[in-house]
Every structure is written in C-alpha cells, then in structure tokens.
Amino acid sequence: MTKKIQAIRGMNDILPKQTKDWQKVEDTLHRVLANYGYQEIRLPLLEMTDLFQRSIGEVTDIVEKEMYTFQDLNGDSLTLRPEGTASCVRAVLQHNLLTQGIQRLWYYGPMFRHERPQKGRYRQFYQFGVEALGVPGPDVDAELIFMTARFWQELGLKGLQLELNSLGSPESRTNYREALVAFFTKHQSALDEDSQRRMRTNPLRILDSKNPQIQDLINEAPRILDYLDDKSREHFDLLQNLLNKVGIAYKINPRLVRGLDYYTRTVFEWTTDQLGAQGTVCAGGRYDGLIAQLGGNTTPAAGFALGLDRLVALLKDKGLIESQTSVDAYLVAVGIQAEKQALYLAEELRTKIPTIRLQTNYNGGNFKNQLKKADRSGARWALILGEDEITQNTVGIKDLRGTQPQQFIPWNKLPDHINQQLKG
Ligand code: ATP
Ligand code: MG
C-alpha cells in the first residue's frame, strides 16, 4: 500500500469540529476590534528575510533559530513570517497609510516559528495582531489593554493575570544594560551557555530565559525600573493611573522584557497558570523606534499579539465554548421522484430562509439509513420527502432532538414554519 503522508510536526490541522470553536472566538474578537475603530489589514505570509532581521533583532530566539528561511528561485532570501508587526509596519510605510490617517490596524493569521512542538507551542500558530501607530502617550497603551480586557470579558474568561513593565528609552536601557552585564559578569560561572553568550550580545535576553536553574540569579539582578529616565517613568505612572481608574488589576513584573528587540517603554503580558508552561496568551508593548528603523519617519507606536491556539485551548478547558452544530435541518428523500424533488426544494428553502443551514442527503439509501445520517449530522430536524409526501405536496418534519411528534407541512407553508422554528 502507498505510504500516507503526514502533516509537518507542529503544524496542525484544525478539523471541522474545532473550526466552530475558533470561529466563535474570532467573531467575538472582530466585534470588539470594531468597537475600538481598528481596521483589518491582510498581509502576505512571506517577506524578505531582511525585514525580520532588521526589526526583531539579530540576537533573539526568533532570528537566531526559529525562522523558516529559504531561497526562492530568483535567489532572494525569503522568510515565512514569524510575527506580524514587522510586516504591518512595512505595509504602512510602503502604502503611506499614516499620511492618509490610517493608524489603527489589526490582522489575523498563521505565524511560523521553528520551535520544539509541545502543548501550546507549535510551528504554525495563529495570532491576532493589533497595532496603534502615531500616538506617543500612555492613553493608547491603556486603550490597547482595555481592549484586551474587553476580549476576556466578552468571551466570559476570568482569571487572566496582567503583567506590566517599562523598558524605558534606548538611552536608559544602555545604562541598565551596563549594570546588568556587571552583575552577570560577577556570576558568570552560574550562567548557562546560552546566557553566557547573550551576556556579550544581548544581555536583557537573559532575563527572558526559561531555564529554571538560573531563575534565582535572575531574581537578584538589577531591576530595569530603577534605571528609567524621567519621561519614561512619568509615562509608566500615567499608564498605571489609567488602569487604576478603570479598575484593571495588574502586577508589575520587572523581569518582563519580551522576546523581541524593538520594544520601548510599556510592555505587558496576559498570563494564566492553567495552560502549563505556555501560559502567555497575549503580549505586547510600545515600539517607538521600529518605524524609523524600517526606513520611515520617527513615529511612536504600540501593539500586541494574541495567540489564538492558546486562547481557544483555555476557553475549551474552562468549558466556555459550547460545541456548535453545523446544520439545522437534514433533508431525507426516499424514492426516485422524491430525490429529484429534494434538490429543488432545498434550493427554494435556502432562497426563502437565507440563514438556514440545510444539508441534503446524497447517494440514496433507505429511510432508516438516511435518518441515521440525519442524526449524525447534528441537525435539529429531519425534513422527510417520500412518495406519499410528493403526491400530497407536503414535507414531514421530525424533531431529532425532542419529543415533538412528526408533523406534515404543505410545501407552500414550509418556509414560514421553519422560520418560526428557527426563531423559537
Ligand atoms: P513565548 O515566550 O511563549 O515563546 P513569545 O514572547 O515568543 O512567547 P510573542 O512573539 O510575543 O511570543 O507572541 C505573542 C503570543 O503569540 C504569545 O503570547 C503566544 O500566545 C503566541 N505564541 C507565540 N509563539 C507561539 C507558538 N510557537 N505556538 C503557539 N502560540 C505562540
Ligand atoms: Mg517565543
């Protein structure tokens, strides 16, 4: 027998039973994004490799070891996007969106990182990305956080923890970096190999290490908040005031540095302890330097990315997504005449009831057999068309989920009848 080909490790199929859950979450997020006046932008999955190297930073997990990079037939180095902010900024600059007043954007789709696959960590995963461009003040940082809080509220999700930090300005970060290097140099022997290398290349990344053996040392390291410049301190205080005012609880985590280089000032993460090790559901912050770094005018910006795989898993674990059916009615047709008529009847119902989800039976089969299929489809009702119904111009309606006795409805009354039932 020919060997069956399997999907690539860490790249999952989302099967029909699951897509319903995803759609429900996606719909809620779309609605809330519209509440805040954000517009959707659709971006390519492939970009020039240079874009990510210049934005995410050479010495980050993503650029060092997680990118799917290859040469295309022209010899260009291309990369499957590992995140969306760089592409979004590229598009904004390429199409001059800022001069047209388009400043608030969102996008959704798969991202690709060559990580070790495990629960909540995949090689193709899905993110909603949200970016607010051109606003320097903490009000927009606050708005982004309000929006995420509203996501959870609309989804019925309780118990996520908001962690907050400020990375200050590039200048204050340089001072902090020196202090950090001095500290880790003193404790060099206690560091793992990765962290020793990072001490020379990107010491802030050490704080991001997931190695449990160096967590105690990391906890003793100097705190970035003690090195903030006055303006960044003020920005951070104002943000906290705004959050306090609307009653959003948060915890300041001075170790929160985020995995990408482009952040300045505000960084935040929403985490849960209910997903095992991969507990960050949503993460973001301010990136005032990135747009200039990618060739635009200096423009402040802030944004976040929300991991859908983790969010859907969490909602599912907590029983917050009900399984949805995909059909309302299943049309059973027994006999040659009925089979012929069924196709037309189904079309007519779809015309007259635009919201109906109606599946017709194919490949014949006897009555019992077709009813079984109707039941398995998850439909609420079986619509039954047999020889008798054809001669009497009626359709039988059998309630597959309740105890209502079967009814016979004349064809011309059927759309109204179904409409009533769907509303009820
Ligand atoms: P982590 O520390 O978990 O590796 P990160 O800092 O690399 O996360 P970001 O690049 O900020 O993550 O991405 C934002 C969100 O996207 C994460 O909080 C998470 O929900 C999701 N995410 C990131 N990488 C993956 C992945 N490999 N599989 C599933 N979801 C992911
Ligand atoms: Mg990561």
Side-chain angles (χ1 to χ4, degrees), residues 43-58:
L43 302 159
L45 302 191
L46 277 176
E47 296 277 0
M48 304 299 276
T49 302
D50 203 29
L51 175 68
F52 301 115
Q53 283 172 342
R54 268 167 62 183
S55 56
I56 295 170
E58 294 277 358

Side-chain angles (χ1 to χ4, degrees), residues 188-200:
Q188 193 158 1
S189 55
L191 288 177
D192 57 32
E193 204 178 306
D194 237 19
S195 300
Q196 294 209 9
R197 192 170 46 82
R198 288 189 161 173
M199 207 170 74
R200 290 184 293 276

Side-chain angles (χ1 to χ4, degrees), residues 223-237:
R223 291 157 33 108
I224 197 162
L225 292 176
D226 297 328
Y227 289 78
L228 289 191
D229 55 291
D230 290 347
K231 283 226 165 93
S232 296
R233 157 66 51 202
E234 191 189 341
H235 194 275
F236 195 41
D237 288 344

Side-chain angles (χ1 to χ4, degrees), residues 34-47:
N35 282 160
Y36 287 80
Y38 283 66
Q39 300 183 67
E40 185 185 9
I41 183 167
R42 299 194 181 186
L43 302 159
L45 302 191
L46 277 176
E47 296 277 0

Side-chain angles (χ1 to χ4, degrees), residues 147-263:
M147 188 194 303
T148 52
R150 195 175 292 275
F151 287 159
W152 319 143
Q153 195 189 339
E154 292 296 306
L155 291 164
L157 183 58
K158 293 197 177 109
L160 285 185
Q161 163 97 248
L162 174 63
E163 297 188 16
L164 204 59
N165 195 19
S166 175
L167 301 180
S169 64
E171 297 75 38
S172 68
R173 206 137 63 148
T174 307
N175 295 336
Y176 175 63
R177 193 187 148 115
E178 278 168 20
L180 205 57
V181 171
F183 172 82
F184 283 125
T185 306
K186 262 196 291 181
H187 300 92
Q188 193 158 1
S189 55
L191 288 177
D192 57 32
E193 204 178 306
D194 237 19
S195 300
Q196 294 209 9
R197 192 170 46 82
R198 288 189 161 173
M199 207 170 74
R200 290 184 293 276
T201 51
N202 194 344
L204 258 75
R205 290 272 75 76
I206 301 176
L207 302 181
D208 212 24
S209 164
K210 294 187 174 80
N211 179 356
Q213 276 158 12
I214 65 166
Q215 294 308 313
D216 285 345
L217 185 62
I218 287 175
N219 283 332
E220 286 164 30
R223 291 157 33 108
I224 197 162
L225 292 176
D226 297 328
Y227 289 78
L228 289 191
D229 55 291
D230 290 347
K231 283 226 165 93
S232 296
R233 157 66 51 202
E234 191 189 341
H235 194 275
F236 195 41
D237 288 344
L238 283 169
L239 172 61
Q240 291 176 57
N241 286 343
L242 291 167
L243 295 177
N244 294 339
K245 231 178 237 159
V246 295
I248 293 181
Y250 55 89
K251 195 179 98 192
I252 291 179
N253 174 2
R255 312 289 162 213
L256 185 65
V257 291
R258 310 282 306 109
L260 302 87
D261 263 1
Y262 52 59
Y263 286 107

Side-chain angles (χ1 to χ4, degrees), residues 185-394:
T185 306
K186 262 196 291 181
H187 300 92
Q188 193 158 1
S189 55
L191 288 177
D192 57 32
E193 204 178 306
D194 237 19
S195 300
Q196 294 209 9
R197 192 170 46 82
R198 288 189 161 173
M199 207 170 74
R200 290 184 293 276
T201 51
N202 194 344
L204 258 75
R205 290 272 75 76
I206 301 176
L207 302 181
D208 212 24
S209 164
K210 294 187 174 80
N211 179 356
Q213 276 158 12
I214 65 166
Q215 294 308 313
D216 285 345
L217 185 62
I218 287 175
N219 283 332
E220 286 164 30
R223 291 157 33 108
I224 197 162
L225 292 176
D226 297 328
Y227 289 78
L228 289 191
D229 55 291
D230 290 347
K231 283 226 165 93
S232 296
R233 157 66 51 202
E234 191 189 341
H235 194 275
F236 195 41
D237 288 344
L238 283 169
L239 172 61
Q240 291 176 57
N241 286 343
L242 291 167
L243 295 177
N244 294 339
K245 231 178 237 159
V246 295
I248 293 181
Y250 55 89
K251 195 179 98 192
I252 291 179
N253 174 2
R255 312 289 162 213
L256 185 65
V257 291
R258 310 282 306 109
L260 302 87
D261 263 1
Y262 52 59
Y263 286 107
T264 49
R265 294 195 173 156
T266 313
V267 287
F268 67 91
E269 286 192 358
W270 285 96
T271 60
T272 170
D273 50 16
Q274 296 187 27
L275 282 176
Q278 313 328 316
T280 306
V281 175
C282 174
R286 180 162 279 287
Y287 50 92
D288 290 341
L290 181 64
I291 296 179
Q293 209 173 307
L294 290 176
N297 297 326
T298 303
T299 310
F304 64 82
L306 197 176
L308 256 276
D309 308 75
R310 293 182 193 175
L311 180 61
V312 171
L314 183 62
L315 291 166
K316 203 74 194 156
D317 282 359
K318 291 185 156 228
L320 291 168
I321 317 183
E322 278 171 43
S323 296
Q324 308 262 314
T325 59
S326 48
V327 276
D328 301 312
Y330 188 102
L331 182 52
V332 166
V334 186
I336 293 174
Q337 282 308 317
E339 272 180 36
K340 259 196 203 151
Q341 201 56 41
L343 264 185
Y344 303 121
L345 179 68
E347 284 307 298
E348 195 183 320
L349 289 175
R350 292 184 187 112
T351 304
K352 296 213 165 123
I353 316 169
T355 57
I356 198 171
R357 301 174 306 161
L358 173 66
Q359 187 178 343
T360 49
N361 186 75
Y362 286 119
N363 284 337
N366 62 29
F367 180 67
K368 208 174 137 201
N369 195 300
Q370 291 195 36
L371 260 194
K372 246 192 213 157
K373 288 205 256 174
D375 187 46
R376 211 168 43 191
S377 76
R380 173 81 202 273
W381 300 286
L383 306 184
I384 298 160
L385 210 52
E387 302 298 340
D388 288 352
E389 284 80 10
I390 294 284
T391 47
Q392 290 159 19
N393 285 342
T394 61

